[in-house]
Amino acid sequence: MVWFFEDEIKGYYKSGKLPHYDNDEVYQFITFRTHDSVPKQQIDRWSDKLGLHGDVDKDSKEYILLQRKILDYEDNGYGECYLKNQKVSQIVEGALKYFDKERYDLIEWIIMPNHVHVLIKPYVGYSLPKIVHSWKSYTATMANKLLARKGDFWMKDYFDRYIRSEKHFEYTVDYIRQNGVKK
């Protein structure tokens, strides 16, 4: 996996198989998952059925349908669900809050048993990949230590979607809040 830390990397780019969008002061809805929450083979099967190959348009109905399938799947609580452990979820919560008002505005977030949803607005000079990398790197190290385990904690990549309108913003906030309620 390639991580782009240079501040010059803005706009659309690809990391792994997923397209990403990074721009200063744009609201971003981010989801990152434990390594075993949605098997890569399942995502690949869905992608193949939807014809998602090569460069993917995040606004396409196929990509949006893929995201819905993944969200539904992960909400079923597959995998070890390490984040059910209160101490592990506190590590993640602390990491999300640590740079709030310094590198980004933390608007809304929820920690589910096997994934995390976050809505932030990054500040100028702080790239989305660097922010997400800091969360995942720190929390993986601390959670693995706490759980006395080794190996991948998070899936290699993350999903992001920039907020396109006030309606999209409100929908995203509601989705995050309701995600915990439904489970």
Side-chain angles (χ1 to χ4, degrees), residues 78-95:
Y78 292 106
E80 292 293 320
C81 295
Y82 305 115
L83 303 175
K84 278 185 178 179
N85 180 315
Q86 185 176 6
K87 290 181 180 179
V88 174
S89 66
Q90 287 172 340
I91 290 168
V92 175
E93 178 181 352

Side-chain angles (χ1 to χ4, degrees), residues 5-173:
F5 291 129
E6 297 84 8
D7 290 334
E8 302 85 44
I9 304 293
K10 296 293 180 187
Y12 289 100
Y13 65 93
K14 200 167 186 179
S15 174
K17 283 190 165 189
L18 296 176
H20 298 283
Y21 179 74
D22 185 26
N23 210 339
D24 293 328
E25 298 187 322
V26 172
Y27 290 101
Q28 294 276 3
F29 174 46
I30 303 150
T31 300
F32 53 104
R33 304 173 174 86
T34 55
H35 72 95
D36 60 352
S37 62
V38 182
K40 180 185 177 315
Q41 299 86 343
Q42 183 63 53
I43 295 171
D44 289 345
R45 277 194 295 273
W46 289 329
S47 295
D48 288 344
K49 281 185 179 180
L50 293 167
L52 295 172
H53 305 285
D55 289 334
V56 177
D57 176 5
K58 284 186 159 186
D59 291 321
S60 72
K61 67 179 184 179
E62 293 82 9
Y63 183 81
I64 293 168
L65 181 58
L66 174 65
Q67 294 310 305
R68 286 188 184 136
K69 286 179 173 288
I70 292 169
L71 291 171
D72 288 344
Y73 191 94
E74 73 188 3
D75 282 343
N76 287 314
Y78 292 106
E80 292 293 320
C81 295
Y82 305 115
L83 303 175
K84 278 185 178 179
N85 180 315
Q86 185 176 6
K87 290 181 180 179
V88 174
S89 66
Q90 287 172 340
I91 290 168
V92 175
E93 178 181 352
L96 296 176
K97 291 179 174 179
Y98 191 78
F99 288 113
D100 184 26
K101 305 295 183 234
E102 185 178 328
R103 296 182 181 179
Y104 49 81
D105 286 331
L106 180 62
I107 310 301
E108 198 70 44
W109 54 273
I110 188 158
I111 300 168
M112 300 297 288
N114 63 1
H115 64 284
V116 178
H117 293 302
V118 184
L119 178 61
I120 65 169
K121 183 178 181 184
Y123 292 169
V124 173
Y126 294 99
S127 70
L128 187 61
K130 190 171 185 177
I131 291 167
V132 176
H133 176 73
S134 71
W135 292 337
K136 289 174 63 180
S137 176
Y138 174 77
T139 58
T141 300
M142 299 307 290
N144 276 342
K145 184 177 179 181
L146 178 74
L147 298 169
R149 67 177 299 279
K150 293 182 180 183
D152 291 336
F153 187 81
W154 299 110
M155 281 183 127
K156 297 264 185 247
D157 217 340
Y158 61 93
F159 294 85
D160 62 275
R161 187 154 181 88
Y162 74 92
I163 303 302
R164 288 148 168 79
S165 66
E166 187 174 336
K167 182 178 177 184
H168 188 199
F169 180 89
E170 291 168 3
Y171 171 84
T172 303
V173 168

